[in-house]
Amino acid sequence: MVNIMNINFAKLLHNIKSKKSNILLTNLYFITFASFLCTFFYLFGLWHHYPSTTVISATGYSTTTTTSSAGASSTCFQHDNSNTTDAKLSLSPSPSSFVKLDFTASHHLPDPPPTTARVSHLPPCDSSLYEYTPCEDQKRSLSFPRNKLIYRERHCPLPEETLRCRIPAPFGYRLPLRWPESRDSAWYANVPHKELTVEKKKQNWIRFEGTRFKFPGGGTMFPRGASAYIDDVGKFINLKDGSIRTAIDTGCGVASWGAYLLSRDILTVSFAPRDTHEGQVLFALERGVPALIGILASIRLPYPSRAFDMAHCSRCLIPWGQYDGIYLTEVDRVLRPGGYWILSGPPINWERHWKGWERTKESLNDEQEAIENVAKSLCWKKLVQKGDLAIWQKPTNHMHCKIKRKIFKTRPFCDEAQNPDMAWYTKLDTCLTPLPEVDNVKEVAGGELSKWPTRLTSIPPRISSESLKGITSEIFEENTMLWKKRVSHYKTLDPQLAEHGRYRNILDMNSHMGGFAAALVDDPVWVMNIVPVEAEINTLGVIYERGLIGTYQNWCEAMSTYPRTYDFIHGDSVFSLYQNRCSMENILLEMDRILRPQGGVILRDDVDVLTKVKSIADEMQWDARITDHEEGPYEREKILVAVKQYWTAPQAEQ
């Protein structure tokens, strides 16, 4: 039995060895065949791509034998004929007889035919247009009526008249000085106008020194300076307890009143027309003070009702008592309940100044009586007239005022169907804008505002009263927190926004409830909040109730401001809002006009929209990039970050 097992095991072992031998033999055949094929195709490839072979002759010269391949030939070695001694070479060629191999492609496509250099379709405008303001163009304005100064209002060009070029900065333009130094100084090269230094020399508005303008803080009616003048106002109105936060200055000059109120946490919108006082609003903006081009003429000011805590006129030359008091009635519309109107200059204190004003006593007295009568018809109370100051206060509600209307039949209330917040090309009216209803005479119409800075984050009365459909207190609070997060993210995308003091004048093109501006409140900036007239909900009143400032705007038109107004522009879904309304290119050109050289831009919108925006931004010499949403790359909304390159008009020929 054992022998049988040994025999079977021997047979099994023999079979295994035989199979291994067969496998090894098969593998050897395969490896040999594969090696042959590899060698063959390698040599074939060499022959195909390098058809020329070079043989070193007995004399040492390189001789080239050429095999045609696609009509090409090449030489591997080349003899240098510049040295006759090289003819006496040995059979082994020296290194000097070789040149570097040429590894360039053997086949080339023909070059395309030459064409003319590509020219941008958004070229710079003519150098003379460095202060071009499309809707306040002086040449166009002359074709409109002179009565009530209508010709100085907004008159925008027709679409076919719109310039499709980029407004240049004047030669020598420099970044404005940083706040607070800018309040008192500005570069002459940025606003090259000396007219005011001569015209207002005695009134201490502005001086020219070396390469700078200096702003001493003087004014027509405050020779001791704006700060002292504001102290005088503060004797009658509490400017320190936070109850006064927003103000409007009509006919502002170089906006020294607004400039000096900023240190008291009072934010002022200053405006003046573009007139013979060349560039006065531009001076204000160079100083880092909020300002717009504007005038009281035939249309409402572009602000909501109950917006400002205080209104001011210092010899602003507005005929307050004329035209049935229509201009003072407009001031009443934009003043909040309990707000103040301050007047200095003619006709106030005319008994002392009438000779210097070159007016008769009778005309000045009549003017003052007319103003007093208009104020009474508005139910205003005159608080004080002392020296050159007179101050009136608007009532906190209209309960008493309505009773007077029934008795005296004076100025009627506007129809309830009229929207008091509608103020874009809305005609002025002499009727009195009614305040919201109240239950008792001590109640503040529309709701009482918190004092600053609590006012910024408190629920605005327009929201708490549920007068804005779709916006609740919860939505407001969530929006405030959202924009804190977003602005924090923005500062990681734009180092200039994160740099304290780099930016001063900021524009938010679609502000909604002002969350972006609120998130920047601790930075040394001011934000002009824009509520587009096409917005689904008019929230500009909410922005003012928060203690912020803003205006209405249709971005299919130019803004009422000078070129190079803003250091930074922000826009949330602006181009989606205007996608089927007007040209994206025109909106971007307007942004380029009002943005300072080296200014920043952050736009958030749908990725497809931003891709189109970037292609135009590249044409405008912006350094632009698209980044992910702060929540990550899977959000369809993206963020475009851009910086406008520095460039100016060429130096003028002497």
Side-chain angles (χ1 to χ4, degrees):
M1 186 68 177
V2 174
N3 291 333
I4 293 172
M5 290 178 65
N6 289 337
I7 292 170
N8 290 337
F9 179 77
K11 288 182 178 180
L12 179 64
L13 183 63
H14 176 74
N15 290 336
I16 291 172
K17 288 182 178 181
S18 298
K19 288 181 180 179
K20 283 187 176 180
S21 299
N22 291 335
I23 292 171
L24 290 173
L25 186 62
T26 301
N27 288 343
L28 181 62
Y29 289 152
F30 176 78
I31 293 171
T32 303
F33 182 70
S35 300
F36 171 77
L37 288 178
C38 289
T39 304
F40 172 77
F41 284 115
Y42 175 73
L43 294 174
F44 180 78
L46 287 178
W47 172 80
H48 181 73
H49 290 287
Y50 300 99
S52 301
T53 58
T54 303
V55 180
I56 305 300
S57 67
T59 59
Y61 290 97
S62 62
T63 304
T64 302
T65 303
T66 304
T67 304
S68 176
S69 175
S73 64
S74 67
T75 303
C76 294
F77 306 107
Q78 183 176 348
H79 175 254
D80 185 0
N81 293 316
S82 63
N83 193 337
T84 56
T85 59
D86 289 343
K88 301 177 181 179
L89 295 174
S90 64
L91 290 176
S92 296
S94 67
S96 62
S97 64
F98 295 90
V99 295
K100 291 183 179 179
L101 295 176
D102 183 9
F103 291 101
T104 57
S106 301
H107 305 281
H108 300 278
L109 290 173
D111 291 332
T115 60
T116 56
R118 183 173 180 272
V119 178
S120 170
H121 69 286
L122 299 175
C125 299
D126 186 86
S127 300
S128 63
L129 296 173
Y130 69 96
E131 287 183 1
Y132 179 59
T133 54
C135 296
E136 283 82 17
D137 182 62
Q138 291 173 303
K139 292 182 180 178
R140 183 183 300 104
S141 68
L142 295 176
S143 63
F144 291 89
R146 294 296 185 101
N147 63 303
K148 292 187 179 180
L149 302 180
I150 290 174
Y151 76 106
R152 288 184 177 172
E153 290 182 319
R154 281 177 61 88
H155 301 292
C156 297
L158 298 172
E160 59 269 19
E161 297 174 330
T162 303
L163 293 180
R164 301 182 71 81
C165 55
R166 294 173 289 132
I167 303 300
F171 179 77
Y173 178 87
R174 303 174 66 174
L175 287 180
L177 299 165
R178 295 196 176 190
W179 184 266
E181 185 182 4
S182 64
R183 186 191 71 175
D184 303 321
S185 297
W187 299 114
Y188 167 75
N190 294 5
V191 197
H193 298 290
K194 295 183 181 179
E195 296 88 347
L196 284 176
T197 63
V198 178
E199 191 173 341
K200 299 295 181 181
K201 184 177 181 179
K202 294 181 180 179
Q203 297 167 14
N204 216 22
W205 280 23
I206 183 172
R207 294 197 304 265
F208 177 65
E209 297 178 4
T211 59
R212 297 188 184 190
F213 288 113
K214 296 286 187 178
F215 303 96
T220 308
M221 294 310 301
F222 29 97
R224 294 182 294 121
S227 186
Y229 176 86
I230 293 169
D231 287 339
D232 291 340
V233 173
K235 295 174 183 176
F236 311 108
I237 302 174
N238 193 334
L239 303 178
K240 298 179 180 179
D241 68 347
S243 59
I244 304 296
R245 167 61 181 173
T246 58
I248 185 169
D249 190 12
T250 58
C252 64
V254 294
S256 288
W257 189 70
Y260 281 83
L261 279 171
L262 285 167
S263 61
R264 303 169 195 244
D265 267 343
I266 297 174
L267 202 52
T268 306
V269 175
S270 301
F271 74 86
R274 180 165 186 169
D275 59 6
T276 53
H277 294 167
E278 191 70 41
Q280 54 185 329
V281 168
L282 183 53
F283 278 118
L285 294 165
E286 280 293 312
R287 299 176 71 181
V289 178
L292 289 166
I293 300 173
I295 190 172
L296 268 170
S298 68
I299 60 176
R300 285 180 174 179
L301 296 172
Y303 315 111
S305 64
R306 313 195 316 268
F308 298 100
D309 305 319
M310 183 167 59
H312 175 255
C313 164
S314 175
R315 200 173 186 178
C316 59
L317 305 180
I318 296 173
W320 298 113
Q322 297 181 26
Y323 311 116
D324 198 20
I326 194 170
Y327 301 134
L328 212 49
T329 306
E330 175 63 1
V331 171
D332 178 84
R333 183 185 71 85
V334 300
L335 267 184
R336 70 162 171 81
Y340 302 93
W341 183 57
I342 303 164
L343 176 64
S344 64
I348 304 303
N349 203 10
W350 60 265
E351 297 89 349
R352 178 183 176 185
H353 297 295
W354 68 276
K355 289 183 179 179
W357 290 340
E358 298 179 353
R359 298 265 305 273
T360 65
K361 294 180 181 180
E362 292 75 19
S363 67
L364 288 165
N365 185 60
D366 291 345
E367 183 180 347
Q368 178 145 358
E369 285 185 357
I371 291 173
E372 302 278 6
N373 290 333
V374 173
K376 288 178 183 178
S377 73
L378 297 171
C379 299
W380 289 5
K381 176 184 177 181
K382 190 172 186 179
L383 290 184
V384 66
Q385 179 173 324
K386 186 174 182 180
D388 295 337
L389 277 176
I391 302 175
W392 286 262
Q393 186 175 21
K394 179 179 176 176
T396 55
N397 60 65
H398 275 162
M399 287 192 75
H400 285 313
C401 197
K402 288 181 177 179
I403 295 172
K404 290 181 181 179
R405 288 295 177 282
K406 294 178 180 178
I407 299 174
F408 298 105
K409 305 294 183 183
T410 56
R411 187 180 303 273
F413 282 103
C414 297
D415 192 297
E416 292 183 1
Q418 293 186 22
N419 184 349
D421 290 344
M422 186 179 292
W424 187 252
Y425 293 121
T426 306
K427 289 294 182 182
L428 290 176
D429 203 333
T430 56
C431 61
L432 177 58
T433 302
L435 290 172
E437 295 290 339
V438 294
D439 295 326
N440 62 75
V441 73
K442 293 184 178 180
E443 186 179 347
V444 178
E448 189 168 2
L449 298 174
S450 302
K451 293 183 178 180
W452 183 263
T454 307
R455 179 172 168 178
L456 181 69
T457 52
S458 299
I459 307 298
R462 277 176 165 90
I463 294 178
S464 59
S465 65
E466 300 181 351
S467 60
L468 295 179
K469 293 182 179 179
I471 301 180
T472 63
S473 298
E474 292 75 17
I475 290 174
F476 171 80
E477 291 175 341
E478 290 172 2
N479 183 266
T480 300
M481 297 304 297
L482 173 66
W483 280 104
K484 285 184 178 180
K485 178 181 179 181
R486 286 180 170 180
V487 169
S488 178
H489 180 63
Y490 286 169
K491 289 183 177 181
T492 66
L493 300 177
D494 183 354
Q496 294 189 113
L497 184 62
E499 182 183 343
H500 191 80
R502 167 61 183 89
Y503 294 144
R504 174 63 184 170
N505 303 359
I506 293 181
L507 176 71
D508 190 6
M509 297 177 69
N510 188 13
S511 300
H512 193 39
M513 290 183 284
F516 171 76
L520 289 169
V521 71
D522 293 326
D523 293 358
V525 302
W526 61 268
V527 180
M528 184 62 74
N529 293 281
I530 302 295
V531 172
V533 294
E534 295 81 8
E536 185 178 350
I537 304 175
N538 183 354
T539 53
L540 192 54
V542 167
I543 289 169
Y544 275 95
E545 287 180 343
R546 299 188 73 176
L548 305 171
I549 60 172
T551 184
Y552 296 114
Q553 176 66 34
N554 177 354
W555 287 114
C556 292
E557 299 179 2
M559 194 174 176
S560 288
T561 191
Y562 281 89
R564 301 171 302 283
T565 290
Y566 296 102
D567 301 299
F568 180 87
I569 297 177
H570 173 257
D572 179 11
S573 304
V574 174
F575 291 95
S576 290
L577 179 63
Y578 284 92
Q579 199 161 21
N580 299 316
R581 291 185 167 97
C582 54
S583 165
M584 177 185 290
E585 192 173 88
N586 286 349
I587 297 175
L588 282 163
L589 280 171
E590 174 62 7
M591 291 171 63
D592 184 80
R593 184 185 75 88
I594 62 180
L595 183 63
R596 289 170 170 168
Q598 296 182 302
V601 175
I602 288 183
L603 301 172
R604 59 189 309 124
D605 217 314
D606 183 84
V607 61
D608 291 340
V609 174
L610 289 186
T611 301
K612 296 176 183 177
V613 169
K614 185 181 182 304
S615 65
I616 301 172
D618 292 339
E619 292 278 353
M620 298 192 306
Q621 290 183 268
W622 289 8
D623 294 324
R625 71 185 193 277
I626 296 176
T627 68
D628 287 327
H629 189 277
E630 61 270 3
E631 296 295 339
Y634 299 110
E635 297 288 336
R636 184 166 180 83
E637 185 178 73
K638 302 296 181 184
I639 300 171
L640 181 141
V641 184
V643 175
K644 178 180 176 179
Q645 293 180 17
Y646 177 89
W647 64 278
T648 71
Q651 186 173 12
E653 295 181 3
Q654 297 297 326

